[in-house]
């Protein structure tokens, strides 16, 4: 049985209710978590408010940075334990889980260093005045995070918030939240005061909704589906609370005939099968110049057919997907692709020794003749890649932008002018040239345009999102 963290203590829900924790690896129950609701959220927000107005305020920027450094070290000391827990909870391959925990440590490390490097300004004004613009924390920040990268998402959300002196309430996904609780425990062990980092587990519609609409939060960040993101923004709007949304994507690779195929082929495969395709920045659409479409797709099919699916311990390219709903969702899209007449030109293989009750799906590569299928529009969130041809640079740009999403993109060409033209024309928050990293780079500003959301995370820009300015106008005569 796992407890959650409110006001520096491990606690059950007020109602005493719990939820089962099932592992996607074998479908077995291996723990329970508290089913927190509005009452628990209220306690957590009160604890955060108390901390941010009193004890946490006593810590200056360098001291906050030092605590984050300690937390980063603590995470690295416990890397293997955290990675095993993350793998069991989410189903991801153990190497992926280890990478995730390293990235979590990097978030704390990066923002530890940044904490005392955010300065205010002095503005020249009328004679007799001194005007200072100082940066202040927002107060209580709420963070609703998903199940695909629980540990990384925790770091992305709370590391900059804590660096700026906010106190946080985190609502992780019911499907995968154990690493998040563990790290909140570690934060207490290294000296974060009680109430600075609270974790309330429970259902999205109960605990998540109660957090988004709580009248005493000052900020909410959300990562997950578009539908729920819109609900979170509506709830935040009722209290005029700032909202940062990261709502996934349908990111395109654009491959021109002069691209370096040797570099592109393995990178494109990795960009869709990594984390079993359950990545907001997965490269899930492929556009290839018609002159080389068949040649390139044949090379890609060869690489794609090497993809293997197994349990986290088998440490193959893909694990199981996170739950039954995702299992059904991915299979439904594969079925739809077949019915629409898209050609399957390669499939990965599920290892014959996987537990029978786990949620293992077959990675699938579809080759289409045009970009019309719904599979080019919907975020499938599984190891399914759809490809279509294009003729000109202009058409490539038009197709790359022909979705509601705008999170990432990649252009593959050796032509320098074309690299920059296409990168500039892509409507997305990040663009790679001759490379692709799903997620990646805690230093790099990240977020979407269009229906992928708004606001920025990662990098120094997150510190601006998680703070506000005060202008002090001093008349000294
Ligand atoms: P989701 O429902 O949007 O879940 C994301 C987070 O929001 C979870 O913590 C969830 O809690 C919480 N939540 C759910 N309903 C809520 C509500 N009414 N108010 C406040 N919070 C709420 O996503 P999902 O159902 O797990 O996955 C569905 C699809 O969303 C995926 O197939 C994928 O396309 C997309 N998705 C995108 C990302 C991303 O990285 N952008 C991540 C995950 C999913 P519970 O899980 O406990 O309900
Ligand atoms: Mg959900």
């Amino acid at each position: 049985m796992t407890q959650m963290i409110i006001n520096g203590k491990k606690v059950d829900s007020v109602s005493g209710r719990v939820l089962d924790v099932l592992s996607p690896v074998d479908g077995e129950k291996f723990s329970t978590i508290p089913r927190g609701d509005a009452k628990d959220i209220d306690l957590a927000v009160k604890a955060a408010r108390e901390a941010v107005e009193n004890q946490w305020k006593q810590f200056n920027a360098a001291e906050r940075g030092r605590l984050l450094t300690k937390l980063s070290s603590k995470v690295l000391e416990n890397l293997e334990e955290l990675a095993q827990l993350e793998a069991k909870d989410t189903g991801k391959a153990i190497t992926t889980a280890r990478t995730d925990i390293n990235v979590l440590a990097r978030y704390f490390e990066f923002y530890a260093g940044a904490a005392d490097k955010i300065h205010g300004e002095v503005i020249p004004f009328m004679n007799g005045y001194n005007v200072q613009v100082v940066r202040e924390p927002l107060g209580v920040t709420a963070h609703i995070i998903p199940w695909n990268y629980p540990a990384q998402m925790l770091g992305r959300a709370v590391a900059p918030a804590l660096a700026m002196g906010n106190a946080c309430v985190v609502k992780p996904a019911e499907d995968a939240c154990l690493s998040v609780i563990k790290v909140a425990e570690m934060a207490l062990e290294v000296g974060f005061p009680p109430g600075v980092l609270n974790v309330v587990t429970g259902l999205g519609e109960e605990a998540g909704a109660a957090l988004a609409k709580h009248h005493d939060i000052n900020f909410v960040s959300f990562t997950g589906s578009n539908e729920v993101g819109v609900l979170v923004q509506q709830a935040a709007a009722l209290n005029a609370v700032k909202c940062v949304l990261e709502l996934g994507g349908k990111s395109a690779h654009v491959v021109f005939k002069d691209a370096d195929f040797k570099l592109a082929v393995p990178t494109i495969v990795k960009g869709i099968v990594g984390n079993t395709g359950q990545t907001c920045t997965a490269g899930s659409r492929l556009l290839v110049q018609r002159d080389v479409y068949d040649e390139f797709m044949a090379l890609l099919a060869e690489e794609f057919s090497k993809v293997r699916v197994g349990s986290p311990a088998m440490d193959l390219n893909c694990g199981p997907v996170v739950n039954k709903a995702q299992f059904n969702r991915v299979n439904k899209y594969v079925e739809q692709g077949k019915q629409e007449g898209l050609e399957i030109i390669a499939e990965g293989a599920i290892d014959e020794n996987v537990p029978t009750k786990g949620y293992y799906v077959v990675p699938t590569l579809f080759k289409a003749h045009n970009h019309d299928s719904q599979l080019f529009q919907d975020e499938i969130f599984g190891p399914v890649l759809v490809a279509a041809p294009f003729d000109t640079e202009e058409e490539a740009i038009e197709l790359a932008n022909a979705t509601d999403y705008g999170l990432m993109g990649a252009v593959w060409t050796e032509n320098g002018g074309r690299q920059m033209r296409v990168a500039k024309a892509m409507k997305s928050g990040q663009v790679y040239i001759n490379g692709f990293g799903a997620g990646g780079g805690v230093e790099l500003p990240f977020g979407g345009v269009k229906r992928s959301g708004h606001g920025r995370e990662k990098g120094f820009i997150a510190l601006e999102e998680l703070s506000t300015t005060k202008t002090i106008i001093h008349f000294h005569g």
Side-chain angles (χ1 to χ4, degrees):
M1 185 180 130
T2 309
Q3 292 177 295
M4 55 189 181
I5 308 288
I6 298 178
N7 203 17
K9 294 193 183 68
K10 291 186 195 182
V11 293
D12 299 324
S13 60
V14 173
S15 71
R17 289 190 294 180
V18 295
L19 297 166
D20 289 343
V21 180
L22 309 177
S23 175
V25 179
D26 52 15
E28 299 294 332
K29 169 179 164 181
F30 72 102
S31 190
T32 60
I33 49 167
R35 181 171 161 180
D37 58 25
K39 289 202 174 96
D40 307 275
I41 288 290
D42 195 44
L43 291 175
V45 173
K46 283 203 172 89
R49 176 62 60 198
E50 169 69 19
V52 84
E53 300 294 347
N54 296 292
Q55 214 185 338
W56 190 219
K57 222 181 190 169
Q58 311 307 317
F59 286 68
N60 64 36
E63 289 165 339
R64 295 196 301 269
R66 209 168 286 147
L67 279 180
L68 285 165
T69 301
K70 285 188 186 166
L71 185 52
S72 176
S73 303
K74 183 98 186 167
V75 165
L76 289 177
E77 282 159 25
N78 294 280
L79 187 142
E80 192 54 32
E81 186 198 341
L82 284 168
Q84 294 291 347
L85 189 64
E86 191 81 329
K88 185 157 194 179
D89 211 8
T90 61
K92 62 181 75 197
I94 188 65
T95 297
T96 309
R98 289 187 187 118
T99 303
D100 285 7
I101 304 303
N102 262 306
V103 176
L104 169 67
R106 270 293 291 147
Y107 274 114
F108 292 135
E109 183 183 55
F110 178 83
Y111 289 106
D116 58 358
K117 290 161 194 74
I118 293 292
H119 304 153
E121 300 179 88
V122 175
I123 296 185
F125 194 51
M126 291 186 287
N127 289 344
Y129 283 87
N130 183 43
V131 178
Q132 299 175 21
V133 181
V134 295
R135 249 191 201 274
E136 297 188 339
L138 293 168
V140 175
T141 59
H143 308 274
I144 300 172
I145 63 175
W147 42 259
N148 52 345
Y149 292 90
Q152 277 206 43
M153 295 285 169
L154 174 74
R156 186 170 100 186
V158 305
L162 297 172
M164 289 314 296
N166 301 287
C168 306
V169 179
V170 179
K171 155 56 187 108
E174 81 223 37
D175 283 308
C177 59
L178 301 185
S179 64
V180 173
I181 297 171
K182 202 87 206 148
V183 175
E185 284 173 30
M186 289 176 186
L188 289 168
E189 285 162 26
V190 302
F192 279 89
V196 171
L197 177 55
N198 307 277
V199 177
V200 180
T201 55
L203 300 175
E205 337 45 297
E206 292 178 1
L211 181 56
K213 72 174 185 206
H214 199 287
H215 67 277
D216 202 29
I217 61 167
N218 304 104
F219 168 97
V220 58
S221 73
F222 169 87
T223 300
S225 64
N226 196 281
E227 299 73 31
V228 177
V230 169
L231 292 178
V232 167
Q233 179 157 354
Q234 283 172 338
L238 294 176
N239 292 311
V241 162
K242 181 177 178 181
C243 182
V244 167
L245 299 178
E246 198 270 86
L247 309 179
K250 193 72 192 177
S251 303
H253 289 276
V254 177
V255 179
F256 287 90
K257 63 182 174 191
D258 67 338
D260 180 342
F261 290 5
K262 274 210 179 73
L263 185 63
V265 164
T267 311
I268 290 171
V269 172
K270 219 169 143 204
I272 184 64
V273 304
N275 208 45
T276 321
Q278 301 167 118
T279 303
C280 48
T281 49
S284 52
R285 288 185 299 144
L286 173 61
L287 301 165
V288 183
Q289 202 154 25
R290 195 179 305 275
D291 322 42
V292 295
Y293 188 44
D294 289 340
E295 181 195 348
F296 189 82
M297 291 309 290
L299 291 171
L300 199 74
E302 194 184 326
E303 183 76 13
F304 199 94
S305 57
K306 294 181 200 154
V307 172
R308 293 288 172 271
V309 184
S311 67
M314 290 173 182
D315 205 17
L316 304 174
N317 312 90
C318 295
V321 294
V322 77
N323 59 25
K324 189 87 204 262
Q326 284 300 125
F327 179 81
N328 291 339
R329 179 188 175 100
V330 175
N331 288 328
K332 186 197 86 180
Y333 276 110
V334 171
E335 215 32 60
Q336 187 178 334
K338 284 184 198 164
Q339 274 165 23
E340 286 182 19
L342 306 189
E343 188 188 351
I344 294 182
I345 62 161
E347 287 180 333
I350 300 174
D351 190 288
E352 59 189 20
N353 296 316
V354 295
T356 45
K357 278 163 70 196
Y359 303 122
Y360 300 89
V361 298
V362 179
T364 305
L365 174 59
F366 282 110
K367 187 178 175 189
H369 297 297
N370 57 44
H371 194 266
D372 291 348
S373 164
Q374 194 62 30
L375 271 70
F376 286 99
Q377 298 299 327
D378 295 358
E379 185 178 52
I380 299 172
F381 232 54
V384 180
L385 179 60
V386 278
F390 68 86
D391 289 298
T392 62
E393 180 179 319
E394 203 183 8
E395 190 192 357
I397 291 166
E398 196 184 309
L399 290 177
N401 291 335
T403 78
D404 284 342
Y405 290 108
L407 195 58
M408 283 255 288
V411 50
W412 297 87
T413 172
E414 294 297 295
N415 178 322
R418 178 168 276 168
Q419 290 169 351
M420 211 21 106
R421 283 194 302 276
V422 177
K424 284 188 174 175
M426 275 192 172
K427 295 197 168 83
S428 64
Q430 285 190 345
V431 181
Y432 273 87
I433 299 171
N434 292 343
F436 198 76
V442 310
E443 310 84 345
L444 314 177
F446 174 75
V449 298
K450 303 198 286 182
R451 296 271 169 83
S452 288
H454 54 76
R456 290 293 175 263
E457 297 183 283
K458 303 185 176 182
F460 269 83
I461 203 166
L463 298 165
E464 290 172 24
E465 293 280 17
L466 283 150
S467 60
T468 186
T469 60
K470 179 184 280 168
T471 308
I472 301 175
I473 305 128
H474 180 179
F475 177 64
H476 54 71

